[in-house]
Amino acid sequence: MESSIQLGQRLVGVGTGPTIELVIPLALVAAVMGLMGILGGKGRIKPNGIFGIRTKKTMSDSSEWYRIHREAAPWVLGGAAACVGGIVAVLLVPRGTAQIVALLAAMATMAVLLTVGTVSASRHGGSDRT
């Protein structure tokens, strides 16, 4: 029981400096999202199965891949900005529950922006437009 309490305290940074366990993953997500937004907006991500927006539409047509990445880029960059805002919030709020809430809010915002951008870009335009 004592070890699980210590682990819980360590995960939320109780008694230590900035909560590195929360900041590093969020910074990595922000970097990947920012890279995807910038490169996708410029048409610099080639169709692949690892990095980028992979939907049935993007994977079946390379012109759709580039178009959807271009149109979703502002939303993806907004998701990266949400992660950066989450990092700032995690570093500013008191340790413990407030940090976890800040982290979850940032990740939820990022996920919503990525989803809305992808769905919006997928529904707008494309080869199946009439």
Side-chain angles (χ1 to χ4, degrees):
M1 180 69 167
E2 182 71 27
S3 63
S4 65
I5 291 171
Q6 289 174 348
L7 176 62
Q9 289 175 338
R10 188 167 163 251
L11 288 175
V12 295
V14 174
T16 62
T19 307
I20 201 74
E21 291 89 352
L22 299 177
V23 171
I24 288 177
L26 203 51
L28 290 173
V29 171
V32 169
M33 293 289 291
L35 188 64
M36 187 169 74
I38 291 167
L39 295 178
K42 292 180 178 183
R44 303 277 314 261
I45 304 173
K46 292 181 181 176
N48 68 82
I50 298 172
F51 181 69
I53 298 171
R54 294 174 316 280
T55 64
K56 186 183 282 188
K57 201 175 219 182
T58 60
M59 297 306 286
S60 65
D61 182 354
S62 65
S63 65
E64 285 295 291
W65 172 276
Y66 290 107
R67 183 190 65 77
I68 288 173
H69 278 81
R70 222 177 11 262
E71 291 182 17
W75 294 93
V76 176
L77 290 171
C83 290
V84 171
I87 291 168
V88 171
V90 163
L91 294 173
L92 293 178
V93 300
R95 291 183 204 120
T97 304
Q99 286 184 329
I100 300 299
V101 169
L103 172 79
L104 293 175
M107 294 301 288
T109 303
M110 180 273 306
V112 167
L113 290 171
L114 178 60
T115 302
V116 168
T118 299
V119 169
S120 175
S122 293
R123 289 184 177 171
H124 177 266
S127 57
D128 56 20
R129 239 177 124 177
T130 55

